[in-house]
Amino acid sequence: MKSDITFGQYVEGNSVIHRLDPRVKIVISLVYIVAIFLAKSVTAFILLTVSSAVFVVMTGISPRLILRSMKPLLFIIIFTAVINLFFMTGENPVFEWRFIHIYREGIINACLIVLRIVLLITATSVFLTYTTTPLALTDALEQLLSPLKKLHVPVHEFSMMMTIALRFIPTLIDETQKIINAQTARGADFTSGGLIKRGKALVPILIPLFISAFRRADELATAMECRCYTGGEGRTRMNTLKSKPKDWVFFFCILLLTAGIVLLNIFFPLYTVLK
Amino acid sequence: MKPIIKAENLVFTYPGDEEQKPVKALDGVSFEIPEGSFTAILGHNGSGKSTLAKLLCLINLPDRGRLWIDGREMTADDVTEAEILAARREVGMVFQNPDNQIVATIVEEDVAFGCENLGLPPAEIRRRVDEALADVGMTEFARNPSYKLSGGQKQHVAIAGTIAMRRRCVIFDESTAMLDPVGRREVMDIIEKLNHEEGITVLIITHHMNEAARADRILVMNGGRIIADGSPSAVFGEPERMWEAGLDVPQTTEFAYKLRELGIKVPLDLFDPADCAEAVAKAVLEKRGGARREAGS
């Protein structure tokens, strides 16, 4: 369990998208999300769906994996679809029975909303969670947000906290397992009983875990001080992120795509129903 | 040679609270550590040796007494924060628990951490990190996550981190205590290499008598004071004193001591089992030869 833990959902790979500058990936996904929200017409959605499919193919990650990441959101997807289907009013009734009125606009709207959510999940998976390690994301965020340091936002401190938290996840999982084993050896029972009993059984795991985590934090702080850590001031980095030409090419493609969607909304407003 | 560390009458007391009385951990400790030397500090739990290490790394400052690092008095009234930071660049520490001193997930990023704190240019950090990893034989693990390494390998990473900072003195605070015998030997080999080949001043704090025997000089602590100071032969040459302080001597010394009680003359300062065995064989043969001569006459 412990030795194979992967952080987040990162899928090992060496595709173009994997190798993009993580800062560019963050910006790209933001722009792409904006594009998804700007899309109002069926034509724009066709463009988005095709481009998303192209990105998925480029990452080399199996589409099944991406579909699986939608599972936790299945309820929300169905719920919004149903709401749109029944409560959207329009001019072309398709089906009427007592208090249920379904209009053609409602059906199209429901489909597009579902498509929108699916596209949002795909975009963030493809650009961020599946192709970028959390460490790379932390580094990229620190550099992207570094202008905020002038406003006294502790950007470096937050990113250092993230780095350390990520570093200690496997260590603490290991430790939890050791404590569970130790308590089980003393006769503790974590697997039977109702919710309350099981919740109470966690206390003898959590208390030692917290005590040890605090002790670790204390020792780590001493060790960092010994290694001349004094905060972000005057610190340099060994691996600075450098954007390459292909990062810029990708970025401009996404900008073009967004512009295309706006144009499609205006000039080919086929079935423009989304508000 | 010029001392890199000089301590005079250091006193340090851990402040108590409602539940605990204040504990006087150091009670007048004085010594000098010459540059390039290899010193071991021995002492049982609570003898003040780790407290001493924390003072030498300037994590704590002594309550009384004077401490010089690289010729500058750290306990002077006019010492500045910048001077303390500068001294910390020279004296580093490798701790006991390898898990609690590694900051970054990726090995080479952790090695780079100290250099990044010094504000070196990225290309220079890259060069130093590659060198340091090669020095401890961890080059092939550079891009690995640190949590997948063994305890000994993690200590190698921690040592690489301090080598990369080009420190002149490194204190090892029981750095081998949590390792298996193989890891312990490997770490000790690297420590010895640092001292002999790179000329880095080394201080090891240990419970293991055989590790202490590898140093040039041993300081024995008990009750916050230094009770013995000398070469391993001199310190272990008086095993009674060590036993009084609740400490052990290397097994070879203990063995030789017991043989001496039986009238077999074996030197006490042979710490390598092979050397010791040879000396014992020689002594036994000599004794037998002597006995035969006596019987013959």
Side-chain angles (χ1 to χ4, degrees):
Chain A
M1 151 189 186
K2 63 193 185 191
S3 53
D4 290 323
I5 180 180
T6 45
F7 294 139
Q9 299 171 296
Y10 178 68
V11 181
E12 205 80 39
N14 200 25
S15 69
V16 189
I17 296 188
H18 277 86
R19 281 179 284 129
L20 280 183
D21 185 329
R23 289 173 300 178
V24 173
K25 280 197 264 193
I26 292 176
V27 175
I28 283 179
S29 29
L30 288 177
V31 174
Y32 199 67
I33 287 169
V34 170
I36 292 170
F37 278 105
L38 283 178
K40 297 244 188 295
S41 61
V42 171
T43 40
F45 271 97
I46 290 171
L47 181 60
L48 281 174
T49 313
V50 171
S51 62
S52 286
V54 170
F55 295 144
V56 171
V57 172
M58 280 172 85
T59 58
I61 293 169
S62 90
R64 205 183 298 157
L65 204 62
I66 290 170
L67 283 178
R68 205 185 299 159
S69 69
M70 294 175 194
K71 233 177 173 176
L73 292 166
L74 202 59
F75 173 74
I76 293 179
I77 295 175
I78 293 173
F79 184 74
T80 36
V82 168
I83 293 274
N84 272 284
L85 197 59
F86 291 117
F87 293 95
M88 181 87 183
T89 49
E91 285 148 16
N92 310 306
V94 179
F95 178 79
E96 273 178 294
W97 180 73
R98 294 199 186 172
F99 57 90
I100 300 176
H101 308 275
I102 295 178
Y103 300 90
R104 201 175 65 176
E105 286 83 352
I107 295 174
I108 295 170
N109 211 357
C111 289
L112 292 187
I113 287 257
V114 168
L115 193 56
R116 181 185 270 177
I117 298 176
V118 168
L119 286 173
L120 280 175
I121 299 170
T122 312
T124 44
S125 310
V126 162
F127 289 121
L128 300 176
T129 49
Y130 279 154
T131 62
T132 322
T133 59
L135 279 173
L137 274 182
T138 314
D139 273 0
L141 269 179
E142 180 180 2
Q143 292 193 29
L144 275 178
L145 298 180
S146 60
L148 291 180
K149 281 179 191 163
K150 293 207 176 73
L151 302 171
H152 299 288
V153 179
V155 176
H156 166 76
E157 282 71 12
F158 279 129
S159 105
M160 187 49 94
M161 272 154 62
M162 270 298 287
T163 310
I164 291 172
L166 289 170
R167 143 80 184 81
F168 273 91
I169 288 171
T171 311
L172 290 179
I173 288 177
D174 231 15
E175 180 120 357
T176 315
Q177 195 57 50
K178 268 187 206 154
I179 296 170
I180 290 176
N181 290 346
Q183 303 289 34
T184 313
R186 293 186 174 89
D189 178 12
F190 303 112
T191 48
S192 63
L195 199 61
I196 295 174
K197 191 166 172 246
R198 282 198 202 190
K200 276 186 178 162
L202 282 179
V203 174
I205 298 176
L206 290 179
I207 290 177
L209 186 64
F210 268 84
I211 290 176
S212 126
F214 281 121
R215 189 177 303 133
R216 282 180 192 281
D218 192 41
E219 273 184 37
L220 184 74
T222 311
M224 285 171 73
E225 210 180 339
C226 253
R227 293 171 76 180
C228 298
Y229 181 73
T230 50
E233 203 95 349
R235 215 174 113 81
T236 49
R237 298 303 305 268
M238 174 173 73
N239 296 320
T240 42
L241 295 170
K242 282 191 204 79
S243 45
K244 293 176 277 296
K246 71 163 190 269
D247 292 316
W248 289 102
V249 171
F250 224 93
F251 178 63
F252 282 112
C253 286
I254 300 285
L255 279 187
L256 274 180
L257 193 76
T258 315
I261 281 160
V262 174
L263 291 177
L264 281 178
N265 277 341
I266 298 168
F267 295 109
F268 299 97
L270 185 62
Y271 298 120
T272 307
V273 276
L274 281 174
K275 299 275 149 47
Chain B
M1 215 184 277
K2 182 164 98 45
I4 186 155
I5 297 174
K6 187 177 166 199
E8 211 177 84
N9 229 352
L10 294 182
V11 176
F12 187 81
T13 307
Y14 285 106
D17 51 35
E18 291 117 49
E19 288 164 38
Q20 274 179 314
K21 280 188 289 185
V23 182
K24 198 169 203 178
L26 289 182
D27 188 10
V29 172
S30 307
F31 58 88
E32 272 183 26
I33 304 286
E35 181 136 30
S37 62
F38 184 174
T39 312
I41 301 180
L42 275 176
H44 61 78
N45 288 335
S47 61
K49 55 195 193 318
S50 287
T51 309
L52 181 63
K54 281 191 182 149
L55 292 192
L56 300 184
C57 279
L58 303 165
I59 295 169
N60 295 331
L61 282 174
D63 297 338
R64 263 185 291 135
R66 302 171 78 185
L67 174 67
W68 288 264
I69 304 280
D70 198 23
R72 175 72 177 121
E73 190 183 342
M74 289 296 137
T75 41
D77 293 329
D78 62 337
V79 76
T80 59
E81 189 76 10
E83 277 175 310
I84 289 185
L85 281 178
R88 248 188 224 148
R89 283 180 174 214
E90 302 298 341
V91 182
M93 179 130 101
V94 175
F95 294 83
Q96 180 180 31
N97 190 337
D99 277 324
N100 295 355
Q101 55 186 323
I102 289 178
V103 181
T105 306
I106 305 293
V107 166
E108 62 172 19
E109 283 176 15
D110 186 73
V111 176
F113 180 76
C115 296
E116 291 178 341
N117 291 336
L118 298 182
L120 299 170
E124 171 73 10
I125 300 179
R126 180 82 256 169
R127 205 169 54 80
R128 286 188 180 195
V129 166
D130 290 344
E131 269 178 33
L133 281 172
D135 275 351
V136 297
M138 293 286 291
T139 305
E140 56 180 311
F141 297 99
R143 294 295 309 159
N144 284 28
S146 54
Y147 64 89
K148 284 191 178 166
L149 302 177
S150 72
Q153 288 172 323
K154 284 179 196 165
Q155 286 301 48
H156 284 52
V157 173
I159 295 173
T162 184
I163 296 176
M165 290 175 81
R166 301 273 152 85
R167 278 161 153 171
R168 282 156 62 201
C169 177
V170 183
I171 301 170
F172 293 86
D173 187 3
E174 298 192 35
S175 305
T176 58
M178 293 177 81
L179 306 183
D180 58 20
V182 177
R184 198 180 296 153
R185 197 169 52 238
E186 284 174 356
V187 168
M188 277 308 292
D189 287 345
I190 287 188
I191 293 175
E192 222 162 50
K193 189 178 141 200
L194 282 188
N195 180 253
H196 294 171
E197 288 172 24
E198 320 268 333
I200 296 172
T201 313
V202 169
L203 249 113
I204 58 169
I205 293 173
T206 179
H207 295 295
H208 289 277
M209 301 303 146
N210 289 329
E211 289 175 2
R214 289 170 79 160
D216 306 331
R217 174 188 177 197
I218 298 180
L219 296 173
V220 185
M221 292 195 65
N222 193 24
R225 290 168 185 276
I226 291 178
I227 56 162
D229 176 1
S231 67
S233 317
V235 169
F236 292 133
E238 298 172 72
E240 301 92 344
R241 228 166 120 186
M242 296 293 284
W243 287 321
E244 259 168 50
L247 285 166
D248 262 335
V249 292
Q251 277 181 332
T252 48
T253 305
E254 193 176 343
F255 179 57
Y257 184 82
K258 286 191 174 147
L259 285 179
R260 276 171 163 233
E261 281 179 340
L262 297 172
I264 301 171
K265 291 267 177 294
V266 187
L268 291 172
D269 60 349
L270 295 170
F271 305 120
D272 185 61
D275 292 349
C276 181
E278 205 170 295
V280 170
K282 217 171 118 194
V284 168
L285 278 180
E286 230 166 63
K287 195 166 187 212
R288 199 185 283 162
R292 217 170 271 150
R293 266 198 304 279
E294 261 170 46
S297 66

